[in-house]
Amino acid sequence: QKEVEQNSGPLSVPEGAIASLNCTYSDRGSQSFFWYRQYSGKSPELIMFIYSNGDKEDGRFTAQLNKASQYVSLLIRDSQPSDSATYLCAVKEAGTALIFGKGTTLSVSS
Amino acid sequence: GAGVSQSPSNKVTEKGKDVELRCDPISGHTALYWYRQSLGQGLEFLIYFQGNSAPDKSGLPSDRFSAERTGGSVSTLTIQRTQQEDSAVYLCASSLFWGEMNTEAFFGQGTRLTVV
């Protein structure tokens, strides 16, 4: 049974701080890693994807992947109240389904 | 259309009735996923279609649930003899598949199913 684990939170950070969201996965064959954001009552939307070990930056967001440790994280710099949402980690192996963690709720206070 | 389209947006049904939920993926996307999300919960995987390969049905919670994908495009999720615990938002997503990798999955707006 493939598992993707996330701390449910809530993670509370003040505006302007760095938010760090973490995710571990059980399947060593996983090849693709995704971070989605879901606002209450809305569908998930993609923030970033990462395939290779190391860091990938996109604006205020940085995804970090460590396949040896089966760990992927998302850093949000200069957090804004509009970043308050649930962040979903998703993991995929070629030819298999995209499996999601239960999500971490982030609250950014102004 | 430009995005993943699901219908209906909302469905209220009586316990014991059958329901059909429809998903129209992004044109050209060969992969299609169905998920269920209960209130305040994460995304529960139901079924995955990839091109002409046999679908991965490992997430279907019971034999009351089935899904098909016709012509590699539109998919229908059918729930027979609905129960109150089936009440949830049913989300469909699609993605491209090239080489051995899937690109990111794009979600529809979901169907909110309420069984009364």
Side-chain angles (χ1 to χ4, degrees), chain A residues 38-43, chain B residues 109 112:
Chain A
Q38 186 175 28
Y39 292 113
S40 180
K42 301 294 186 183
S43 294
Chain B
Q109 81 281 14
R112 181 175 299 278

Side-chain angles (χ1 to χ4, degrees), chain B residues 94-107:
Chain B
S94 71
S95 71
L96 283 170
F97 184 81
W98 49 267
E100 295 184 342
M101 305 287 280
N102 278 93
T103 63
E104 64 270 28
F106 294 88
F107 282 83

Side-chain angles (χ1 to χ4, degrees), chain A:
Chain A
Q1 180 78 6
K2 298 176 184 177
E3 294 182 350
V4 179
E5 300 286 343
Q6 294 182 256
N7 188 324
S8 63
L11 173 65
S12 297
V13 300
E15 184 175 358
I18 295 175
S20 178
L21 304 159
N22 305 314
C23 171
T24 59
Y25 59 94
S26 64
D27 186 2
R28 285 194 171 275
S30 300
Q31 298 174 302
S32 310
F33 307 86
F34 305 87
W35 282 100
Y36 284 80
R37 177 175 61 197
Q38 186 175 28
Y39 292 113
S40 180
K42 301 294 186 183
S43 294
E45 56 180 353
L46 181 76
I47 298 174
M48 292 190 69
F49 61 87
I50 185 167
Y51 300 144
S52 303
N53 276 328
D55 295 358
K56 179 181 179 182
E57 186 174 319
D58 184 0
R60 296 186 297 112
F61 299 95
T62 298
Q64 299 174 316
L65 175 61
N66 184 325
K67 290 186 178 180
S69 299
Q70 295 174 243
Y71 175 92
V72 58
S73 65
L74 179 70
L75 299 178
I76 306 175
R77 290 180 298 281
D78 188 22
S79 296
Q80 302 296 309
S82 58
D83 295 326
S84 298
T86 296
Y87 289 79
L88 301 166
C89 172
V91 174
K92 193 178 191 312
E93 180 182 0
T96 68
L98 182 64
I99 302 300
F100 284 81
K102 295 189 182 299
T104 297
T105 300
L106 173 66
S107 177
V108 181
S109 56
S110 57

